[in-house]
């Protein structure tokens, strides 16, 4: 499996911005140039206790 091009700290920061209600998923994906599917995958992994 390949390494992520996004550091863990950035993923957590993006998820935190969403959870705190600062930005919508669409705004975050556009701002950080990530795909919506990528965002949802990160969110699911985080909620399951993974990275």
């Amino acid at each position: 499996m390949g390494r992520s091009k996004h550091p863990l700290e950035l993923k957590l920061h993006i998820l935190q911005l969403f959870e705190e209600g600062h930005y919508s998923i669409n705004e975050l994906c556009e701002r950080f140039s990530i795909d919506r599917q990528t965002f949802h995958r990160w969110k699911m992994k985080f909620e399951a206790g993974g990275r």
Side-chain angles (χ1 to χ4, degrees):
M1 182 179 270
R3 299 189 95 195
S4 174
K5 65 180 179 179
H6 299 92
L8 177 60
E9 294 80 15
L10 178 61
K11 293 177 186 179
L12 294 175
H13 176 68
I14 292 170
L15 291 171
Q16 183 177 18
L17 290 172
F18 175 72
E19 291 295 323
E20 292 175 352
H22 296 292
Y23 299 95
S24 70
I25 293 172
N26 286 337
E27 291 170 323
L28 290 168
C29 290
E30 185 174 316
R31 181 174 179 177
F32 292 98
S33 300
I34 58 172
D35 188 78
R36 284 181 56 90
Q37 187 175 11
T38 299
F39 177 87
H40 286 290
R41 187 171 35 249
W42 293 351
K43 191 171 183 306
M44 287 175 43
K45 285 183 178 181
F46 178 74
E47 289 171 350
R51 297 177 183 209

